[in-house]
Amino acid sequence: MMPLLKIARLLILADPNAMLRGAALSVVVLLMGAALLGLSGWFITATGLAGLAGIGIAFDVFRPSAGIRFLALGRTAARYGERLLTHDATLRALAALRVSLLRRHAISDSRVLAEMRSEGALTQIISDVDALDGIILRLFLPSVSAVLAHGIAFAVLGLLVGWPVALTILAGYALLAILVLWRLARRCLVPSGDSETRHQRLRRSVIDMIRDREALILSGRLNEREAELVTSEREARAVLAVLDREERGAGAALSASVSIVTALAFLAGGAMLAQEAIGPARAVIGLFVAIALAESLLPLRRGFAELGRMVSAAGRVWGPEETDAGPSQAPAPVAESGPLLLIRTEKIDLIVPAGGTVALTGASGSGKTNLLMQIAGMLPAEGIRLHGKSPEDWPEAKLRKIVTVVPQRSALLAGTIRDNLSLAGSVAEAQMWQALKAVDLEQAIRARGGLDLCLGEGGSGLSGGQAKRLCIARALLRQPQLLLLDEPTEGLDETTAERVMIGIRRALPGATIVAALHRGAEHSIFSDKVTLQN
């Protein structure tokens, strides 16, 4: 529950003025509705009594009628403004939440970021952020508005009608509504979170089936996978049915509470009338106000029914690192001792000194990419040491100064060449051109506008080989002690591949280079060649 409270605080403080305006109009809508129904009830009763008494012609119908019209039109305008401002405040709050979420993930280590690149993780984040908009729209604003509206209505009713009637309405709604909503939240807490989990699993399964449809068809497992999806959907619907049943039950209980409080308000007004403390027209005001205040309670059931989904989403979005356990301790300094890279696994027994170059070869599936990721600290590593320590024991910032990895999949931004190279850090323009020259991209980039050449999403605008070389140029600007390359010459002709490999060695003459290759392992820059077996 604590992550939910912290995210609620973040959302509220994102734009407190917008939130205040939305809450104020929500209260105005509820109060105008209560005033409209109360005044209408008083007016109907008063005009009926005036007619019975034979003084209807002398009764002032114009001012109450004008008040009713004002409240009706004002409530409509306030409702429109309330919808506009509360949604505006919610969108501002969610924008702030997304920025905060991005900032927190931006400082995560490489392993966490790598795990988040899957479509399942991204879909989960999007769904969680969407779920959290209910904190404002379905919990915070309706609850605050209901409390304020009931408090103001209590004070006004106490002054106009009498404190017994006001206290009856306030106590009745407070006790019954709290009991019903607490029971709803408790009974829906687990099913609501379970429903979100099942729907996320169903979405990921559908994505997986669409992505793997050709393999499923060829293996004859398409019908089997379809049956699994139908079963998953049936289970998700069963949980939704439980939530719907609980929510409808809470709605019925709240409606019954309204009837009970209305009847009690009528009896309290009748008791005061019998004591001649108030007149008949004022005695019925409490009855109609009690009916009007039901508008503040019925919308709360959706928010409390989805509380479990919000709690689980907040726990995932806020993350375990955001706790009150105190400031995290800085990692202990790691002494640099031993060879730069030592690998002792079932497949390899290798010591790579500083400045050494190793070509990793082997058939597809032999584990070349996994080995590079283990050396880079992005997968659990056993038997791998960097300066005598496991990659997992190095502080993230220190490890990234030692090791730079260029994976097979190019990672480029929608922006200029300069923007993409600047991700390596603060580097001069001359250094950028030197790096581009090292990977045989200088002439191609100059011919197309230089460093201000704009690329599309994912680096579109460059060929696959050019995109890969741009990523290598960015890695060269990091000046690492250990450079890991996964298929650096893939998609290049032999002449270009030769120039690129020589350029990399010249740009990093003292660095250790480990490259996974299907071809080109015999290149002169490599001092060792290691073949991995399946």
Side-chain angles (χ1 to χ4, degrees):
M1 189 65 74
M2 188 58 66
L4 182 67
L5 297 177
K6 291 182 177 180
I7 287 183
R9 181 177 180 274
L10 173 65
L11 294 176
I12 294 167
L13 296 180
D15 193 340
N17 292 330
M19 204 68 65
L20 183 61
R21 291 192 297 268
L25 275 183
S26 299
V27 175
V28 168
V29 169
L30 295 175
L31 291 178
M32 279 192 163
L36 175 62
L37 207 54
L39 179 59
S40 299
W42 174 87
F43 183 58
I44 293 171
T45 306
T47 51
L49 292 174
L52 290 175
I55 57 172
I57 194 170
F59 185 75
D60 182 7
V61 299
F62 297 104
R63 281 184 292 182
S65 298
I68 292 172
R69 284 192 292 271
F70 168 77
L71 291 172
L73 294 175
R75 183 177 180 277
T76 302
R79 174 65 75 184
Y80 174 79
E82 179 256 342
R83 295 295 187 194
L84 187 66
L85 291 180
T86 54
H87 283 77
D88 175 68
T90 302
L91 291 175
R92 290 173 184 268
L94 290 178
L97 175 62
R98 289 184 173 94
V99 171
S100 175
L101 183 62
L102 180 60
R103 285 175 177 167
R104 290 175 50 248
H105 284 313
I107 62 175
S108 300
D109 59 39
S110 55
R111 185 181 301 174
V112 173
L113 292 176
E115 293 174 352
M116 290 176 57
R117 294 186 67 181
S118 67
E119 61 270 14
L122 295 177
T123 302
Q124 182 71 69
I125 292 174
I126 293 172
S127 177
D128 287 342
V129 172
D130 289 341
L132 294 175
D133 67 357
I135 295 178
I136 300 299
L137 287 178
R138 298 192 181 99
L139 275 180
F140 175 73
L141 287 178
S143 299
V144 170
S145 302
V147 171
L148 292 177
H150 279 261
I152 296 173
F154 169 74
V156 174
L157 276 176
L159 295 174
L160 290 181
V161 180
W163 296 110
V165 174
L167 187 60
T168 298
I169 295 174
L170 180 65
Y173 273 138
L175 293 176
L176 295 175
I178 290 175
L179 179 62
V180 172
L181 294 175
W182 173 80
R183 180 180 180 275
L184 174 65
R186 185 175 62 85
R187 293 177 67 89
C188 291
L189 192 62
V190 174
S192 180
D194 186 38
S195 174
E196 177 65 18
T197 301
R198 290 181 181 277
H199 278 83
Q200 284 298 324
R201 188 182 302 128
L202 180 61
R203 291 189 188 100
R204 287 194 294 270
S205 298
V206 171
I207 293 172
D208 291 342
M209 189 183 76
I210 294 173
R211 183 183 56 199
D212 302 334
R213 61 187 181 279
E214 294 181 0
L216 292 172
I217 292 173
L218 293 175
S219 62
R221 297 183 59 242
L222 185 61
N223 291 336
E224 177 185 343
R225 181 60 61 87
E226 183 180 357
E228 293 174 358
L229 289 178
V230 170
T231 302
S232 298
E233 183 184 17
R234 188 180 298 114
E235 293 174 351
R237 287 181 178 275
V239 178
L240 279 179
V242 172
L243 291 174
D244 181 66
R245 184 165 59 251
E246 293 294 339
E247 186 177 344
R248 287 189 286 108
L254 287 175
S255 298
S257 300
V258 172
S259 300
I260 293 172
V261 173
T262 301
L264 292 175
F266 181 74
L267 293 176
M272 294 188 68
L273 177 62
Q275 298 173 4
E276 298 183 354
I278 55 175
R282 290 170 59 189
V284 299
I285 292 179
L287 165 70
F288 290 97
V289 170
I291 296 174
L293 287 176
E295 183 185 13
S296 65
L297 299 178
L298 295 177
L300 290 173
R301 58 179 180 169
R302 174 58 60 87
F304 281 86
E306 294 184 355
L307 186 60
R309 181 189 179 202
M310 298 178 199
V311 170
S312 59
R316 287 187 294 266
V317 167
W318 195 256
E321 71 276 10
E322 298 288 346
T323 64
D324 292 329
S328 59
Q329 298 297 322
V334 180
E336 298 186 11
S337 61
L340 174 61
L341 176 61
L342 183 148
I343 305 174
R344 283 182 177 160
T345 65
E346 294 180 356
K347 296 183 178 181
I348 302 179
D349 188 349
L350 179 67
I351 297 177
V352 186
T357 52
V358 179
L360 294 176
T361 65
S364 296
S366 59
K368 300 186 298 296
T369 297
N370 280 346
L371 179 59
L372 293 182
M373 295 299 104
Q374 288 172 347
I375 297 172
M378 300 177 72
L379 288 177
E382 293 184 6
I384 297 175
R385 296 293 182 267
L386 295 174
H387 288 304
K389 298 290 183 180
S390 171
E392 298 175 344
D393 294 335
W394 284 88
E396 178 71 12
K398 183 70 173 177
L399 180 63
R400 295 307 145 214
K401 290 181 180 180
I402 298 175
V403 183
T404 295
V405 60
V406 181
Q408 277 186 291
R409 180 180 176 183
S410 301
L412 297 175
L413 301 174
T416 64
I417 299 292
R418 188 191 312 275
D419 294 335
N420 280 278
L421 293 178
S422 295
L423 292 176
S426 179
V427 292
E429 185 171 314
Q431 293 174 291
M432 293 183 182
W433 283 117
Q434 289 174 2
L436 292 173
K437 182 179 180 180
V439 296
D440 198 31
L441 266 182
E442 180 186 14
Q443 293 182 0
I445 297 300
R446 287 190 187 276
R448 297 181 58 183
L451 297 176
D452 293 323
L453 168 65
C454 261
L455 305 180
E457 187 70 28
S460 61
L462 297 178
S463 67
Q466 288 175 329
K468 186 62 172 286
R469 283 183 282 161
L470 182 58
C471 291
I472 296 175
R474 184 171 60 200
L476 297 180
L477 291 171
R478 296 279 299 170
Q479 293 291 304
Q481 296 181 35
L482 174 60
L483 176 63
L484 306 175
L485 302 171
D486 196 353
E487 299 292 350
T489 59
E490 184 181 12
L492 303 181
D493 59 79
E494 291 186 6
T495 303
T496 304
E498 173 78 12
R499 289 197 296 264
V500 168
M501 297 307 298
I502 292 175
I504 292 173
R505 180 76 272 185
R506 287 176 178 173
L508 300 174
T512 300
I513 300 175
V514 179
L517 300 158
H518 275 107
R519 62 182 180 87
E522 306 298 334
H523 198 283
S524 60
I525 74 164
F526 294 112
S527 57
D528 290 293
K529 176 183 174 182
V530 177
T531 302
L532 300 183
Q533 303 297 329
N534 287 329

